[in-house]
Amino acid sequence: MCGICCCVGFSVEHFSNELREDLLRGLRRRGPDSSKQLLKSSINYQCLFSGHVLHLRGALTAQPVEDESGNVFLWNGEVFSGVQVEAEDNDTQVMSSSLSACKTESDILALFSKVRGPWSFIYYQASSHCLWFGRDFFGRRSLLWHFNNLGRSFCLSSVGTQVSGLTDQWQEVPASGIFQIDLNSAAVSSSVTLKLYPWKYVSEQNVIEECAIDPTRTPAELPALVSVVASEAELYLPKPIAPLNKMLPQAPLEAPCRDSSRVPHARETLETFLTDGHTKKVVQQFIDVLSVAVKRRVLCLAREENPASEEVLQACHKKASIAILFSGGVDSMVLAALADRHVPLDEPIDLLNVAFVGKRETGPGVPNIERKQQSRHKTLSEEFCQGAAEVPDRVTGKAGLKELQSLSPSRTWNFVEINVSLEELQNLRRARICHLVQPSDTVLDDSIGCAVWFAARGIGCLVTQDAPRSYESPAKVILTGIGADEQLAGYSRHRVRFQALGLEGLNEEVAMELGRIASRNLGRDDRVIGDHGKEARFPFLDENVVSFLNSLPVWEKADLTLPRGVGEKLILRLAAVELGLTASALLPKRAMQFGCRIAKLENVNEKASDKCGRLQILP
């Protein structure tokens, strides 16, 4: 994971060969292991490239990477499959070498269409004077653009900088395909034309889909002298996932427990579903494909070498390489159980559980910590554990911990209690988080952005058998369950749509949720988690997982005739039961902002979709 940036100027007066210090700080926090800059100048333009690397796999490869032909590559991604990357290889170097071998536009598109995993990139092709950039199909890595001086300069970056009163300066690059700019043409014409190569489905009959929404429609926030056009050759990238199965049943469904007039106990309901041979087979297929997705995400990183002797091993406490955003809900529990299959057994797994409390209280028997830690922005979790103990996600998190310990007693599960006071929330939102969440700007963005930022920071306390102790998670990789609710009808709005329009309406809602996940969630979450020099990984958005779930009819994924805690995300609940997680399989969906209680701290009368004044940048 990296912080990448490219600033382009078409005239000397509109170009600076230095990045703003606040932008540079944000990029360095994302990539603390290596920083480098490179300036490329031509008669008509200048490009300043800045790369900041979080080293996770293979040999540390500084960015930007320049090849013998003068091409420059910036990569913020992970190749999990599709393009061959050996265990000892660095995927930045593999992708750079592959791009150097590309001769045509089609070659470049073919390369990126093969990659399975999250990415954003910037690529300068010296021979054509073209700048290529884009984000993966789901937009799992952040990339922002900023055009100014009437299009005479622009900047691409993993993170932006916000100035008081000008919070709309930076906008997310749409995850609608790959863009190309001819820098010479832009300089001569005094306008910037963004050529878009969109994602499109290709059917088995080799029929290319027509886009319902024109992907070249120029976003309203772009200046008048910036436009988006389709490539002349109508080139595109094949979508990396199967299309959504919108099939409707030919007759009323007859399956276990679909008689809504007589619903047995929830646990009995799930067990009855699993007596059906077809259902059990589908659930096992889901477990298998999700397990492979988790495996790729927990093993694609460098680990410390094993100590040479048993004595050294016992004296050495291994550090966690993997952490999970953990509420104890079914999404995070299934991820934890599958991670346990693949993470080396002698390595702890950190479970990051965040709670927001209005005022600081000291629980009985919990020691205070030196206040000097506060200067390093460390949460003094021990000072008010008692207030956090009543937060819903803390309750379900501790219950989930016990279930995991019973399931895998040989594993060290580090349950990290991250307790945040109103004072600390307000201070760090103002200083850091509001800059990262932007250009997202709603009350919901504020709540989730802040909650995820504190959780990913991983500073809290471990409640061990001996005594609570302060703890900071060393894990560089954080698994998150985002994507489960969107695909498996986990939100209350799915139930509302189903009750109004039946399965057809539910299909459309699921398609809409997945289609907007890049702009609604993923760029924001990548910026927030990456600010700690950590990488977010999303197993539920693995291309094979999404393709498998898209192949199923909607009634095999959810049954919204059943009550909350059973019907939504039904296939995931059945998978949890099969994995031995019977208690957490029955927990109803609870939105993060309510589960961690951040939504209760400040203005409780706000709507989630309201523009949030707390995110506005103050002078």
Side-chain angles (χ1 to χ4, degrees):
M1 202 274 299
C2 306
I4 62 176
C5 180
C6 174
C7 292
V8 179
F10 298 110
S11 60
V12 174
E13 65 268 26
H14 291 137
F15 181 76
S16 170
N17 60 4
E18 291 184 358
L19 296 182
R20 282 180 47 168
E21 185 55 38
D22 51 352
L23 178 58
L24 201 53
R25 275 198 306 271
L27 291 165
R28 282 176 179 152
R29 283 197 290 266
R30 291 178 62 86
D33 298 324
S34 167
S35 293
K36 193 172 88 170
Q37 295 193 355
L38 175 66
L39 183 64
K40 300 288 286 189
S41 293
S42 178
I43 295 173
N44 294 321
Y45 61 84
Q46 298 82 35
C47 299
L48 177 63
F49 300 91
S50 187
H52 308 266
V53 177
L54 173 69
H55 178 226
L56 290 173
R57 60 198 292 196
L60 176 60
T61 302
Q63 296 193 46
V65 177
E66 184 176 19
D67 68 10
E68 294 177 353
S69 302
N71 303 316
V72 179
F73 183 52
L74 288 166
W75 173 248
N76 176 26
E78 296 289 349
V79 178
F80 291 132
S81 61
V83 173
Q84 189 164 356
V85 180
E86 302 296 340
E88 66 277 6
D89 289 341
N90 179 275
D91 59 343
T92 303
Q93 195 59 60
V94 170
M95 289 297 294
S96 179
S97 299
S98 300
L99 279 168
S100 297
C102 292
K103 305 299 182 187
T104 65
E105 294 178 343
S106 297
D107 292 340
I108 292 175
L109 299 178
L111 173 63
F112 282 100
S113 67
K114 288 183 206 171
V115 176
R116 297 295 178 264
W119 49 264
S120 63
F121 80 98
I122 302 169
Y123 179 60
Y124 170 72
Q125 196 174 33
S127 60
S128 63
H129 298 277
C130 284
L131 193 70
W132 297 74
F133 60 94
R135 303 163 68 195
D136 72 79
F137 178 71
F138 294 116
R140 288 166 288 188
R141 291 289 172 260
S142 171
L143 192 63
L144 307 177
W145 58 23
H146 175 209
F147 296 88
N148 55 16
N149 299 312
L150 298 176
R152 299 306 295 160
S153 65
F154 69 91
C155 195
L156 301 164
S157 179
S158 299
V159 292
T161 57
Q162 305 299 340
V163 179
S164 174
L166 297 172
T167 53
D168 60 346
Q169 284 186 315
W170 292 86
Q171 296 296 330
E172 287 189 333
V173 173
S176 49
I178 287 177
F179 294 87
Q180 182 214 73
I181 298 176
D182 184 324
L183 297 176
N184 270 342
S185 295
V188 172
S189 66
S190 298
S191 63
V192 176
T193 300
L194 302 165
K195 189 186 294 185
L196 173 63
Y197 303 86
W199 298 102
K200 291 187 179 182
Y201 280 124
V202 183
S203 70
E204 293 179 359
Q205 294 75 33
N206 210 31
V207 176
I208 302 170
E209 72 167 352
E210 291 298 322
C211 294
I213 300 175
D214 181 6
T216 64
R217 186 165 54 88
T218 303
E221 66 270 5
L222 292 180
L225 292 174
V226 179
S227 59
V228 183
V229 301
S231 69
E232 300 88 340
E234 296 187 351
L235 297 173
Y236 63 91
L237 298 107
K239 288 186 178 181
I241 59 169
L244 182 67
N245 180 349
K246 295 185 179 180
M247 180 173 67
L248 298 174
Q250 298 300 307
L253 294 170
E254 294 182 6
C257 309
R258 284 205 165 92
D259 179 6
S260 57
S261 65
R262 182 183 172 275
V263 178
H265 293 298
R267 181 171 178 175
E268 183 183 327
T269 303
L270 295 181
E271 290 170 348
T272 305
F273 269 103
L274 289 168
T275 62
D276 178 73
H278 173 72
T279 299
K280 192 175 180 73
K281 179 183 175 182
V282 169
V283 169
Q284 191 56 56
Q285 289 173 332
F286 176 47
I287 291 172
D288 291 344
V289 72
L290 184 59
S291 180
V292 171
V294 171
K295 180 179 180 179
R296 286 175 175 155
R297 283 157 179 78
V298 301
L299 294 185
C300 281
L301 69 160
R303 283 183 158 82
E304 296 175 355
E305 293 295 323
N306 285 329
S309 68
E310 188 66 27
E311 293 77 18
V312 175
L313 180 63
Q314 291 182 359
C316 168
H317 294 288
K318 275 213 166 185
K319 293 181 178 179
S321 298
I322 301 294
I324 301 171
L325 294 185
F326 189 76
S327 66
V330 66
D331 310 357
S332 58
M333 285 292 290
V334 167
L335 291 184
L338 293 177
D340 178 58
R341 288 184 173 185
H342 306 297
V343 174
L345 193 55
D346 61 345
E347 182 179 298
I349 295 176
D350 285 351
L351 307 174
L352 308 178
N353 183 275
V354 67
F356 291 80
V357 291
K359 61 181 181 178
R360 303 190 171 197
E361 302 177 54
T362 303
V366 179
N368 289 323
I369 294 191
E370 298 266 329
R371 298 201 72 85
K372 63 183 180 182
Q373 286 187 337
Q374 199 168 15
S375 63
R376 299 199 303 271
H377 298 302
K378 293 199 174 183
T379 310
L380 304 180
S381 305
E382 294 87 338
E383 290 192 2
F384 53 115
C385 287
Q386 189 175 22
E390 301 169 0
V391 171
D393 278 359
R394 181 60 46 80
V395 175
T396 54
K398 286 186 173 180
L401 171 65
K402 289 181 179 178
E403 198 165 23
L404 290 171
Q405 289 170 332
S406 175
L407 187 72
S408 182
S410 300
R411 168 80 61 193
T412 298
W413 299 98
N414 288 331
F415 186 74
V416 188
E417 298 189 16
I418 299 162
N419 302 326
V420 186
S421 69
L422 176 59
E423 177 189 7
E424 185 175 29
L425 167 65
Q426 292 174 338
N427 289 341
L428 284 167
R429 176 199 282 125
R430 190 179 309 116
R432 297 270 285 279
I433 303 170
C434 65
H435 300 274
L436 299 164
V437 172
Q438 294 283 356
S440 303
D441 61 1
T442 68
V443 169
L444 185 64
D445 291 314
D446 171 52
S447 295
I448 295 180
C450 290
V452 171
W453 189 89
F454 280 104
R457 187 175 66 162
I459 296 176
C461 69
L462 291 180
V463 180
T464 63
Q465 288 181 339
D466 302 324
R469 61 182 177 88
S470 57
Y471 181 79
E472 181 172 355
S473 172
K476 286 185 175 182
V477 168
I478 297 179
L479 302 183
T480 165
I482 194 167
D485 288 306
E486 288 78 3
Q487 297 178 80
L488 303 177
Y491 294 120
S492 58
R493 54 183 174 269
H494 287 111
R495 195 172 286 271
V496 170
R497 192 72 182 271
F498 170 72
Q499 290 168 346
L501 298 171
L503 289 177
E504 187 174 5
L506 182 58
N507 272 327
E508 295 304 322
E509 190 74 14
V510 169
M512 183 271 290
E513 291 280 5
L514 206 54
R516 71 180 184 179
I517 197 170
S519 57
R520 188 175 174 89
N521 303 90
L522 290 168
R524 175 201 67 208
D525 288 358
D526 178 68
R527 290 189 296 277
V528 165
I529 293 173
D531 191 55
H532 302 295
K534 301 183 181 189
E535 178 171 285
R537 294 184 176 177
F538 311 97
F540 287 107
L541 292 174
D542 178 271
E543 289 84 352
N544 290 340
V545 172
V546 176
S547 290
F548 173 76
L549 291 174
N550 276 1
S551 74
L552 300 177
V554 69
W555 64 84
E556 292 191 350
K557 297 179 281 192
D559 183 352
L560 300 187
T561 64
L562 294 172
R564 287 184 70 243
V566 183
E568 75 278 13
K569 299 190 284 193
L570 176 62
I571 191 174
L572 184 59
R573 298 182 188 282
L574 295 174
V577 171
E578 288 286 83
L579 292 169
L581 305 171
T582 52
S584 52
L586 297 169
L587 289 174
K589 162 68 183 175
R590 185 169 52 228
M592 183 182 193
Q593 66 271 27
F594 300 116
C596 70
R597 283 278 169 85
I598 189 172
K600 299 280 188 182
L601 274 190
E602 293 167 292
N603 188 348
V604 295
N605 295 318
E606 297 169 317
K607 292 181 180 178
S609 58
D610 289 347
K611 191 174 284 261
C612 182
R614 294 182 296 279
L615 288 174
Q616 302 310 307
I617 312 301
L618 300 174

